[in-house]
Amino acid sequence: MSHTSREIRLISHPTGIPTPANFSLAETELKPLQDRQVLVRNLYMSVDPYMRGRMNKGKSYVPPFELDKPMTGGAVGEVVESRADQFKVGDAVTSSYGWREYFIAKPQELHPVSRDLQPLSVYLAALGMTGMTAWAGLNLVDVKAGDVIFISGAAGAVGSVAGQLAKMRGCKVIGSAGSVEKVKFLLEDCGFDMAFNYKSRPVTPVIEQLNLAAPDGIDVYFDNVGGEMLEASLSALRLHGRIIACGGISGYNAETPQPGPPNLFNMTTKRLTMKGLIVGDWLSHQGEFEQEVGGYFRSGKLKNKETVVTGIDKAVGAFIGLFDGKNIGKMIVKFD
């Protein structure tokens, strides 16, 4: 039995912020299933800021998307046909075959997940790679009880989980976000100690807001944004402070390379440590992450927040919306 599947393709390299013209929605006919293959129907897919780097020409820390080919990314789906002993019809699985409705995969390309946890999209959010990124970042610089940690992009998929996990470790947690609604989410839902709106009017410099939130300085900065947030944190960090270099969404769409912060020499004078974080380096710890953080989610200690858009035809708009701050928590595309 063959299946027709719609898929999103990158058809041109974006300049600056991507536009719908950089993508196409195509239809493809899948071949009949062969031995040791599995047919999966996607239920949810992830759109993530890091994907912007994969849309550029040239090498990156992740393979670039090929033009006129279906894009890839995190997805959770269900098995609809199987000719492999490892999976049966109805099994829930995660994969890297997002941006399409159906796909055929080898068993080793699929990761089984339990249907007991709902919604299944949690495996792309708090219990997926974004949640694991937050968990790995805290472990990377040994965040511990008593630390004062500042998280930029705190209302996003990674930041909101990082803040909750840091609170469980006994930290004082401060976050920045881009709206009053997001600040309320951080304080009331995620349990942050302090949060501020960096887009407040009249505009108040980030360093001033950070100094008000942490007058005695911070021990750890979880960087999801770069730019002004990094500069402010370099000023606010105490001696021997640590920086988790997770992302820099403020510069992802820059058409020319952005200069570093002018106070970078604080790295030397304060004897700071800055470590880069790529979650792919932590995949050998996935079982440990799923056991610990899955336990928090099951017990209700960890909140999972998602912004859900329905329909593969809305996936490009959901991705572009990340750069306008349209999401609270994880941006998810649900399939019809």
Side-chain angles (χ1 to χ4, degrees):
M1 182 178 177
S2 62
H3 283 80
T4 299
S5 176
R6 291 183 296 169
E7 60 191 28
I8 302 293
R9 300 175 182 177
L10 184 72
I11 58 174
S12 62
H13 297 292
T15 300
I17 297 176
T19 71
N22 297 123
F23 308 87
S24 70
L25 177 60
E27 197 171 274
T28 186
E29 191 81 13
L30 298 183
K31 297 178 180 179
L33 210 60
Q34 302 298 309
D35 287 339
R36 294 181 293 280
Q37 288 185 333
V38 181
L39 176 66
V40 178
R41 178 175 72 92
N42 275 332
L43 302 174
Y44 302 93
M45 60 166 269
S46 173
V47 291
D48 303 283
Y50 88 90
M51 294 176 175
R52 177 61 184 84
R54 300 186 66 188
M55 297 174 187
N56 295 330
K57 295 179 181 178
K59 294 182 179 180
S60 178
Y61 67 93
V62 286
F65 293 127
E66 294 184 59
L67 293 183
D68 301 313
K69 296 288 181 66
M71 294 161 57
T72 56
V76 59
E78 64 179 4
V79 174
V80 294
E81 188 179 349
S82 176
R83 297 187 64 176
D85 294 337
Q86 297 93 323
F87 295 96
K88 65 181 185 300
V89 173
D91 284 348
V93 297
T94 58
S95 75
S96 61
Y97 286 101
W99 297 94
R100 69 201 76 193
E101 293 175 317
Y102 291 85
F103 65 91
I104 293 172
K106 300 174 183 177
Q108 60 268 31
E109 296 174 311
L110 305 173
H111 179 67
V113 294
S114 172
R115 284 187 177 272
D116 293 340
L117 293 183
Q118 293 290 331
L120 286 175
S121 52
V122 71
Y123 292 110
L124 301 176
L127 300 187
M129 285 300 104
T130 48
M132 188 169 172
T133 300
W135 176 84
L138 300 183
N139 289 335
L140 183 68
V141 301
D142 189 27
V143 173
K144 58 189 183 299
D147 281 339
V148 178
I149 181 171
F150 169 52
I151 302 169
S152 59
V158 173
S160 59
V161 174
Q164 293 180 75
L165 295 179
K167 282 296 296 180
M168 292 178 201
R169 294 189 181 201
C171 300
K172 178 180 178 180
V173 180
I174 301 163
S176 64
S179 72
V180 172
E181 180 186 10
K182 290 180 179 181
V183 167
K184 183 179 179 182
F185 162 66
L186 294 176
L187 296 173
E188 298 183 1
D189 294 4
C190 299
F192 279 52
D193 296 284
M194 301 284 290
F196 61 85
N197 176 11
Y198 72 93
K199 292 183 178 179
S200 62
R201 296 291 182 269
V203 175
T204 303
V206 171
I207 184 58
E208 291 185 19
Q209 298 195 69
L210 183 53
N211 285 340
L212 285 172
D216 296 323
I218 61 175
D219 300 293
V220 179
Y221 171 47
F222 200 122
D223 190 12
N224 294 306
V225 174
E228 186 183 1
M229 295 291 175
L230 175 57
E231 182 180 343
S233 298
L234 285 167
S235 293
L237 279 158
R238 298 166 173 163
L239 287 178
H240 305 293
R242 295 101 75 201
I243 301 171
I244 304 155
C246 179
I249 194 171
S250 66
Y252 286 170
N253 294 303
E255 297 180 35
T256 58
Q258 301 299 294
N263 59 345
L264 191 59
F265 194 61
N266 283 9
M267 290 290 300
T268 301
T269 59
K270 294 185 177 184
R271 281 80 87 195
L272 305 178
T273 298
M274 184 175 188
K275 290 188 175 183
L277 172 64
I278 301 294
V279 71
D281 297 340
W282 289 75
L283 294 182
S284 62
H285 298 275
Q286 188 168 1
E288 182 184 348
F289 157 73
E290 290 176 346
Q291 182 176 1
E292 179 185 340
V293 181
Y296 296 147
F297 180 73
R298 289 183 179 90
S299 68
K301 291 181 179 179
L302 179 69
K303 303 295 191 298
N304 177 64
K305 179 69 173 178
E306 300 173 1
T307 299
V308 180
V309 175
T310 301
I312 190 171
D313 56 320
K314 302 294 195 301
V316 169
F319 170 71
I320 295 172
L322 293 171
F323 302 103
D324 289 328
K326 296 291 178 61
N327 60 302
I328 298 180
K330 182 78 183 74
M331 181 74 90
I332 294 286
V333 177
K334 180 180 180 181
F335 286 79
D336 296 304

